[in-house]
């Protein structure tokens, strides 16, 4: 399956992940996560495929996360409310987000990329 890479060009971590994918000769569909964040449906599928809790998909070190006070609000929000929030603003999503429909990585950790994306 084709790899979809959701990233933000100004993000250093995203640039490292992209360089790794390029060095491995992997082709991927590059999606600007802020201009075109994943839809609610795409996010639900990604989260389900990953097996990770929804809270792992938040960019907790981002300014937007802090501005909205999400640390305190998330525990009382429903999953539907959280998916709607995440799909509304790509800056809230931990990046890069990489998936091929069968596997998902969130953020860039080289060992995870080797395990999931190395040919």
């Amino acid at each position: 399956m084709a790899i979809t890479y959701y990233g933000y060009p100004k993000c250093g971590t995203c640039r490292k992940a992209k360089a790794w994918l390029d060095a491995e000769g992997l082709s991927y569909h590059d999606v600007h996560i802020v201009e075109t964040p994943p839809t609610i449906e795409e996010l639900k599928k990604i989260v389900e495929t990953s097996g990770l809790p929804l809270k792992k998909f938040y960019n907790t070190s981002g300014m937007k996360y802090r501005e909205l006070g999400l640390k305190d609000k998330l525990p009382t929000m429903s999953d539907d409310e959280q998916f709607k929030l995440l799909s509304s603003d790509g800056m809230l999503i931990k990046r890069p987000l990489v998936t091929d429909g069968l596997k998902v990585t969130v953020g860039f950790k080289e060992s995870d990329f080797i395990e999931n994306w190395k040919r």
Side-chain angles (χ1 to χ4, degrees):
M1 262 187 128
I3 295 173
T4 301
Y5 163 91
Y6 292 95
Y8 182 61
K10 294 179 182 177
C11 166
T13 305
C14 294
R15 288 195 299 266
K16 286 179 194 173
K18 207 170 187 179
W20 189 94
L21 292 169
D22 290 341
E24 289 298 315
L26 296 167
S27 61
Y28 51 89
H29 177 61
D30 190 352
V31 180
H32 191 300
I33 200 164
V34 177
E35 293 174 359
T36 313
T39 65
I40 292 171
E41 293 74 26
E42 288 168 332
L43 280 169
K44 285 182 177 181
K45 187 173 183 335
I46 289 168
V47 171
E48 182 181 327
T49 301
S50 75
L52 296 169
L54 185 52
K55 67 182 181 181
K56 293 285 187 187
F57 287 82
Y58 281 91
N59 177 13
T60 57
S61 60
M63 286 190 321
K64 191 81 169 192
Y65 182 89
R66 290 192 298 269
E67 282 173 16
L68 296 174
L70 292 178
K71 180 182 177 191
D72 298 322
K73 291 179 183 173
L74 287 181
T76 61
M77 291 175 71
S78 71
D79 284 358
D80 285 341
E81 290 171 321
Q82 290 187 53
F83 280 117
K84 185 175 180 182
L85 181 64
L86 282 172
S87 70
S88 73
D89 191 336
M91 292 302 277
L92 291 173
I93 301 171
K94 186 173 176 90
R95 54 190 185 262
L97 182 58
V98 183
T99 185
D100 65 358
L102 302 173
K103 301 180 296 267
V104 175
T105 53
V106 183
F108 177 67
K109 189 173 171 189
E110 189 170 10
S111 60
D112 289 346
F113 268 53
I114 289 169
E115 181 182 327
N116 289 284
W117 309 121
K118 188 128 175 125
R119 290 188 179 193

